[in-house]
Amino acid sequence: MRLALGAMALLAAGHSAGQPFGISPQSPIGNTRPQAAPDGQRWTSFRDFWFDYGSTRIDSSDTIKVADVASYMTLNPTHRLAIDGEVGSGDADMGDRRIDSVREALIKAGVPAYKIYTGPYGDPRLRRDRRVEVLFGSKD
């Protein structure tokens, strides 16, 4: 009974099940990226994107990775994605721009924006300059 009332309250407030608070599918790409993952989320490394020095462009050979991630998300609609990368090394915002490049490519490939999180979800020992990691997550 409490669960049903809580769900009705969320829907009345404009939130739908499966979406983090403050993010809707209509949210623009800009500064609305969620930083906190849902409770109970486990993250597993899925694909890496490597960038050329001084570049934020996804290499043409990596477009298959974008399609692979989008296909995986279509087959696993309850999962979420996390994008992690080295931020603050070299050009101050190059890491953020690379993360945004991967995020935008995934959205263009059909991954819903509200299912993509950014932040330090990967293993910090594996972070490298010019590398962006895509992880998938599911609840326990």
PDB file of all heavy atoms in Angstrom, residues 64-88:
ATOM      1  N   ILE A  64      31.848   1.297 -34.210  1.00  0.00           N
ATOM      2  CA  ILE A  64      31.278  -0.031 -33.944  1.00  0.00           C
ATOM      3  C   ILE A  64      31.053  -0.216 -32.439  1.00  0.00           C
ATOM      4  O   ILE A  64      30.094  -0.870 -32.020  1.00  0.00           O
ATOM      5  CB  ILE A  64      32.168  -1.158 -34.532  1.00  0.00           C
ATOM      6  CG1 ILE A  64      31.443  -2.500 -34.474  1.00  0.00           C
ATOM      7  CG2 ILE A  64      33.482  -1.274 -33.802  1.00  0.00           C
ATOM      8  CD1 ILE A  64      30.373  -2.644 -35.498  1.00  0.00           C
ATOM      9  N   LYS A  65      31.907   0.390 -31.618  1.00  0.00           N
ATOM     10  CA  LYS A  65      31.727   0.312 -30.164  1.00  0.00           C
ATOM     11  C   LYS A  65      30.458   1.046 -29.740  1.00  0.00           C
ATOM     12  O   LYS A  65      29.726   0.575 -28.866  1.00  0.00           O
ATOM     13  CB  LYS A  65      32.933   0.902 -29.437  1.00  0.00           C
ATOM     14  CG  LYS A  65      34.193   0.077 -29.572  1.00  0.00           C
ATOM     15  CD  LYS A  65      35.327   0.753 -28.839  1.00  0.00           C
ATOM     16  CE  LYS A  65      36.639   0.015 -29.019  1.00  0.00           C
ATOM     17  NZ  LYS A  65      37.744   0.693 -28.329  1.00  0.00           N
ATOM     18  N   VAL A  66      30.218   2.206 -30.354  1.00  0.00           N
ATOM     19  CA  VAL A  66      29.006   2.971 -30.044  1.00  0.00           C
ATOM     20  C   VAL A  66      27.778   2.127 -30.388  1.00  0.00           C
ATOM     21  O   VAL A  66      26.853   2.006 -29.591  1.00  0.00           O
ATOM     22  CB  VAL A  66      28.988   4.316 -30.806  1.00  0.00           C
ATOM     23  CG1 VAL A  66      27.648   5.022 -30.636  1.00  0.00           C
ATOM     24  CG2 VAL A  66      30.125   5.216 -30.332  1.00  0.00           C
ATOM     25  N   ALA A  67      27.776   1.529 -31.570  1.00  0.00           N
ATOM     26  CA  ALA A  67      26.658   0.683 -31.992  1.00  0.00           C
ATOM     27  C   ALA A  67      26.506  -0.530 -31.078  1.00  0.00           C
ATOM     28  O   ALA A  67      25.378  -0.938 -30.764  1.00  0.00           O
ATOM     29  CB  ALA A  67      26.861   0.241 -33.437  1.00  0.00           C
ATOM     30  N   ASP A  68      27.623  -1.094 -30.635  1.00  0.00           N
ATOM     31  CA  ASP A  68      27.609  -2.246 -29.740  1.00  0.00           C
ATOM     32  C   ASP A  68      26.964  -1.895 -28.403  1.00  0.00           C
ATOM     33  O   ASP A  68      26.133  -2.640 -27.883  1.00  0.00           O
ATOM     34  CB  ASP A  68      29.042  -2.742 -29.544  1.00  0.00           C
ATOM     35  CG  ASP A  68      29.138  -4.066 -28.817  1.00  0.00           C
ATOM     36  OD1 ASP A  68      28.233  -4.907 -28.988  1.00  0.00           O
ATOM     37  OD2 ASP A  68      30.132  -4.268 -28.101  1.00  0.00           O
ATOM     38  N   VAL A  69      27.329  -0.742 -27.853  1.00  0.00           N
ATOM     39  CA  VAL A  69      26.759  -0.305 -26.574  1.00  0.00           C
ATOM     40  C   VAL A  69      25.264  -0.034 -26.739  1.00  0.00           C
ATOM     41  O   VAL A  69      24.449  -0.452 -25.909  1.00  0.00           O
ATOM     42  CB  VAL A  69      27.497   0.936 -26.035  1.00  0.00           C
ATOM     43  CG1 VAL A  69      26.787   1.491 -24.803  1.00  0.00           C
ATOM     44  CG2 VAL A  69      28.948   0.600 -25.691  1.00  0.00           C
ATOM     45  N   ALA A  70      24.877   0.648 -27.812  1.00  0.00           N
ATOM     46  CA  ALA A  70      23.460   0.953 -28.054  1.00  0.00           C
ATOM     47  C   ALA A  70      22.657  -0.335 -28.215  1.00  0.00           C
ATOM     48  O   ALA A  70      21.542  -0.456 -27.678  1.00  0.00           O
ATOM     49  CB  ALA A  70      23.315   1.838 -29.281  1.00  0.00           C
ATOM     50  N   SER A  71      23.201  -1.305 -28.924  1.00  0.00           N
ATOM     51  CA  SER A  71      22.532  -2.587 -29.107  1.00  0.00           C
ATOM     52  C   SER A  71      22.365  -3.312 -27.772  1.00  0.00           C
ATOM     53  O   SER A  71      21.307  -3.872 -27.480  1.00  0.00           O
ATOM     54  CB  SER A  71      23.336  -3.455 -30.079  1.00  0.00           C
ATOM     55  OG  SER A  71      22.786  -4.732 -30.190  1.00  0.00           O
ATOM     56  N   TYR A  72      23.414  -3.294 -26.960  1.00  0.00           N
ATOM     57  CA  TYR A  72      23.350  -3.913 -25.640  1.00  0.00           C
ATOM     58  C   TYR A  72      22.231  -3.292 -24.806  1.00  0.00           C
ATOM     59  O   TYR A  72      21.461  -3.998 -24.157  1.00  0.00           O
ATOM     60  CB  TYR A  72      24.692  -3.769 -24.917  1.00  0.00           C
ATOM     61  CG  TYR A  72      24.655  -4.320 -23.521  1.00  0.00           C
ATOM     62  CD1 TYR A  72      24.880  -5.672 -23.286  1.00  0.00           C
ATOM     63  CD2 TYR A  72      24.368  -3.499 -22.438  1.00  0.00           C
ATOM     64  CE1 TYR A  72      24.820  -6.186 -22.006  1.00  0.00           C
ATOM     65  CE2 TYR A  72      24.303  -4.010 -21.153  1.00  0.00           C
ATOM     66  CZ  TYR A  72      24.534  -5.350 -20.933  1.00  0.00           C
ATOM     67  OH  TYR A  72      24.454  -5.866 -19.669  1.00  0.00           O
ATOM     68  N   MET A  73      22.123  -1.964 -24.859  1.00  0.00           N
ATOM     69  CA  MET A  73      21.102  -1.278 -24.070  1.00  0.00           C
ATOM     70  C   MET A  73      19.697  -1.595 -24.579  1.00  0.00           C
ATOM     71  O   MET A  73      18.758  -1.663 -23.790  1.00  0.00           O
ATOM     72  CB  MET A  73      21.357   0.226 -24.065  1.00  0.00           C
ATOM     73  CG  MET A  73      22.582   0.620 -23.252  1.00  0.00           C
ATOM     74  SD  MET A  73      22.493   0.108 -21.515  1.00  0.00           S
ATOM     75  CE  MET A  73      21.211   1.210 -20.922  1.00  0.00           C
ATOM     76  N   THR A  74      19.549  -1.798 -25.869  1.00  0.00           N
ATOM     77  CA  THR A  74      18.253  -2.189 -26.425  1.00  0.00           C
ATOM     78  C   THR A  74      17.848  -3.569 -25.913  1.00  0.00           C
ATOM     79  O   THR A  74      16.684  -3.800 -25.569  1.00  0.00           O
ATOM     80  CB  THR A  74      18.305  -2.193 -27.964  1.00  0.00           C
ATOM     81  OG1 THR A  74      18.612  -0.862 -28.408  1.00  0.00           O
ATOM     82  CG2 THR A  74      16.983  -2.632 -28.566  1.00  0.00           C
ATOM     83  N   LEU A  75      18.816  -4.467 -25.837  1.00  0.00           N
ATOM     84  CA  LEU A  75      18.544  -5.823 -25.369  1.00  0.00           C
ATOM     85  C   LEU A  75      18.403  -5.914 -23.850  1.00  0.00           C
ATOM     86  O   LEU A  75      17.875  -6.894 -23.333  1.00  0.00           O
ATOM     87  CB  LEU A  75      19.653  -6.771 -25.829  1.00  0.00           C
ATOM     88  CG  LEU A  75      19.771  -6.951 -27.347  1.00  0.00           C
ATOM     89  CD1 LEU A  75      21.029  -7.748 -27.685  1.00  0.00           C
ATOM     90  CD2 LEU A  75      18.528  -7.632 -27.898  1.00  0.00           C
ATOM     91  N   ASN A  76      18.898  -4.912 -23.136  1.00  0.00           N
ATOM     92  CA  ASN A  76      18.879  -4.895 -21.664  1.00  0.00           C
ATOM     93  C   ASN A  76      18.302  -3.571 -21.182  1.00  0.00           C
ATOM     94  O   ASN A  76      19.022  -2.738 -20.609  1.00  0.00           O
ATOM     95  CB  ASN A  76      20.296  -5.097 -21.121  1.00  0.00           C
ATOM     96  CG  ASN A  76      20.861  -6.434 -21.512  1.00  0.00           C
ATOM     97  OD1 ASN A  76      20.557  -7.449 -20.912  1.00  0.00           O
ATOM     98  ND2 ASN A  76      21.675  -6.444 -22.565  1.00  0.00           N
ATOM     99  N   PRO A  77      17.009  -3.346 -21.370  1.00  0.00           N
ATOM    100  CA  PRO A  77      16.418  -2.030 -21.084  1.00  0.00           C
ATOM    101  C   PRO A  77      16.423  -1.621 -19.617  1.00  0.00           C
ATOM    102  O   PRO A  77      16.238  -0.438 -19.320  1.00  0.00           O
ATOM    103  CB  PRO A  77      14.997  -2.155 -21.625  1.00  0.00           C
ATOM    104  CG  PRO A  77      14.712  -3.620 -21.624  1.00  0.00           C
ATOM    105  CD  PRO A  77      16.026  -4.295 -21.879  1.00  0.00           C
ATOM    106  N   THR A  78      16.654  -2.548 -18.698  1.00  0.00           N
ATOM    107  CA  THR A  78      16.679  -2.168 -17.284  1.00  0.00           C
ATOM    108  C   THR A  78      18.058  -1.697 -16.834  1.00  0.00           C
ATOM    109  O   THR A  78      18.201  -1.215 -15.717  1.00  0.00           O
ATOM    110  CB  THR A  78      16.243  -3.349 -16.386  1.00  0.00           C
ATOM    111  OG1 THR A  78      17.158  -4.429 -16.570  1.00  0.00           O
ATOM    112  CG2 THR A  78      14.832  -3.788 -16.712  1.00  0.00           C
ATOM    113  N   HIS A  79      19.054  -1.846 -17.673  1.00  0.00           N
ATOM    114  CA  HIS A  79      20.405  -1.440 -17.303  1.00  0.00           C
ATOM    115  C   HIS A  79      20.621   0.052 -17.493  1.00  0.00           C
ATOM    116  O   HIS A  79      19.877   0.723 -18.191  1.00  0.00           O
ATOM    117  CB  HIS A  79      21.435  -2.210 -18.125  1.00  0.00           C
ATOM    118  CG  HIS A  79      21.590  -3.626 -17.688  1.00  0.00           C
ATOM    119  ND1 HIS A  79      22.558  -4.450 -18.171  1.00  0.00           N
ATOM    120  CD2 HIS A  79      20.892  -4.386 -16.804  1.00  0.00           C
ATOM    121  CE1 HIS A  79      22.462  -5.644 -17.616  1.00  0.00           C
ATOM    122  NE2 HIS A  79      21.450  -5.623 -16.779  1.00  0.00           N
ATOM    123  N   ARG A  80      21.661   0.549 -16.863  1.00  0.00           N
ATOM    124  CA  ARG A  80      22.111   1.939 -16.972  1.00  0.00           C
ATOM    125  C   ARG A  80      23.548   1.911 -17.475  1.00  0.00           C
ATOM    126  O   ARG A  80      24.235   0.908 -17.385  1.00  0.00           O
ATOM    127  CB  ARG A  80      22.089   2.629 -15.608  1.00  0.00           C
ATOM    128  CG  ARG A  80      20.759   2.577 -14.892  1.00  0.00           C
ATOM    129  CD  ARG A  80      19.872   3.697 -15.381  1.00  0.00           C
ATOM    130  NE  ARG A  80      18.692   3.843 -14.549  1.00  0.00           N
ATOM    131  CZ  ARG A  80      17.491   3.419 -14.915  1.00  0.00           C
ATOM    132  NH1 ARG A  80      17.335   2.797 -16.044  1.00  0.00           N
ATOM    133  NH2 ARG A  80      16.459   3.612 -14.131  1.00  0.00           N
ATOM    134  N   LEU A  81      24.001   3.044 -17.977  1.00  0.00           N
ATOM    135  CA  LEU A  81      25.395   3.185 -18.399  1.00  0.00           C
ATOM    136  C   LEU A  81      26.077   4.246 -17.552  1.00  0.00           C
ATOM    137  O   LEU A  81      25.453   5.221 -17.147  1.00  0.00           O
ATOM    138  CB  LEU A  81      25.483   3.622 -19.866  1.00  0.00           C
ATOM    139  CG  LEU A  81      25.075   2.632 -20.922  1.00  0.00           C
ATOM    140  CD1 LEU A  81      25.202   3.268 -22.297  1.00  0.00           C
ATOM    141  CD2 LEU A  81      25.923   1.383 -20.846  1.00  0.00           C
ATOM    142  N   ALA A  82      27.346   4.050 -17.317  1.00  0.00           N
ATOM    143  CA  ALA A  82      28.176   5.065 -16.663  1.00  0.00           C
ATOM    144  C   ALA A  82      29.357   5.339 -17.575  1.00  0.00           C
ATOM    145  O   ALA A  82      29.882   4.431 -18.218  1.00  0.00           O
ATOM    146  CB  ALA A  82      28.673   4.575 -15.305  1.00  0.00           C
ATOM    147  N   ILE A  83      29.735   6.602 -17.652  1.00  0.00           N
ATOM    148  CA  ILE A  83      30.899   6.991 -18.448  1.00  0.00           C
ATOM    149  C   ILE A  83      31.897   7.618 -17.500  1.00  0.00           C
ATOM    150  O   ILE A  83      31.581   8.544 -16.769  1.00  0.00           O
ATOM    151  CB  ILE A  83      30.513   7.975 -19.565  1.00  0.00           C
ATOM    152  CG1 ILE A  83      29.431   7.378 -20.463  1.00  0.00           C
ATOM    153  CG2 ILE A  83      31.737   8.353 -20.384  1.00  0.00           C
ATOM    154  CD1 ILE A  83      28.899   8.340 -21.501  1.00  0.00           C
ATOM    155  N   ASP A  84      33.113   7.092 -17.524  1.00  0.00           N
ATOM    156  CA  ASP A  84      34.175   7.540 -16.630  1.00  0.00           C
ATOM    157  C   ASP A  84      35.400   7.852 -17.470  1.00  0.00           C
ATOM    158  O   ASP A  84      35.665   7.185 -18.465  1.00  0.00           O
ATOM    159  CB  ASP A  84      34.488   6.424 -15.631  1.00  0.00           C
ATOM    160  CG  ASP A  84      35.435   6.844 -14.521  1.00  0.00           C
ATOM    161  OD1 ASP A  84      35.829   8.026 -14.470  1.00  0.00           O
ATOM    162  OD2 ASP A  84      35.792   5.977 -13.703  1.00  0.00           O
ATOM    163  N   GLY A  85      36.128   8.862 -17.093  1.00  0.00           N
ATOM    164  CA  GLY A  85      37.342   9.194 -17.819  1.00  0.00           C
ATOM    165  C   GLY A  85      38.263  10.048 -16.980  1.00  0.00           C
ATOM    166  O   GLY A  85      37.886  10.548 -15.923  1.00  0.00           O
ATOM    167  N   GLU A  86      39.463  10.209 -17.464  1.00  0.00           N
ATOM    168  CA  GLU A  86      40.469  11.032 -16.790  1.00  0.00           C
ATOM    169  C   GLU A  86      40.089  12.496 -16.978  1.00  0.00           C
ATOM    170  O   GLU A  86      39.964  12.973 -18.100  1.00  0.00           O
ATOM    171  CB  GLU A  86      41.850  10.760 -17.372  1.00  0.00           C
ATOM    172  CG  GLU A  86      42.966  11.465 -16.666  1.00  0.00           C
ATOM    173  CD  GLU A  86      43.208  10.955 -15.253  1.00  0.00           C
ATOM    174  OE1 GLU A  86      42.933   9.777 -14.976  1.00  0.00           O
ATOM    175  OE2 GLU A  86      43.673  11.732 -14.421  1.00  0.00           O
ATOM    176  N   VAL A  87      39.868  13.187 -15.891  1.00  0.00           N
ATOM    177  CA  VAL A  87      39.467  14.589 -15.945  1.00  0.00           C
ATOM    178  C   VAL A  87      40.543  15.429 -15.277  1.00  0.00           C
ATOM    179  O   VAL A  87      41.074  15.061 -14.238  1.00  0.00           O
ATOM    180  CB  VAL A  87      38.109  14.799 -15.233  1.00  0.00           C
ATOM    181  CG1 VAL A  87      37.696  16.237 -15.266  1.00  0.00           C
ATOM    182  CG2 VAL A  87      37.049  13.929 -15.878  1.00  0.00           C
ATOM    183  N   GLY A  88      40.895  16.537 -15.891  1.00  0.00           N
ATOM    184  CA  GLY A  88      41.816  17.472 -15.282  1.00  0.00           C
ATOM    185  C   GLY A  88      43.267  17.284 -15.651  1.00  0.00           C
ATOM    186  O   GLY A  88      44.119  18.029 -15.190  1.00  0.00           O
TER     187      GLY A  88
END
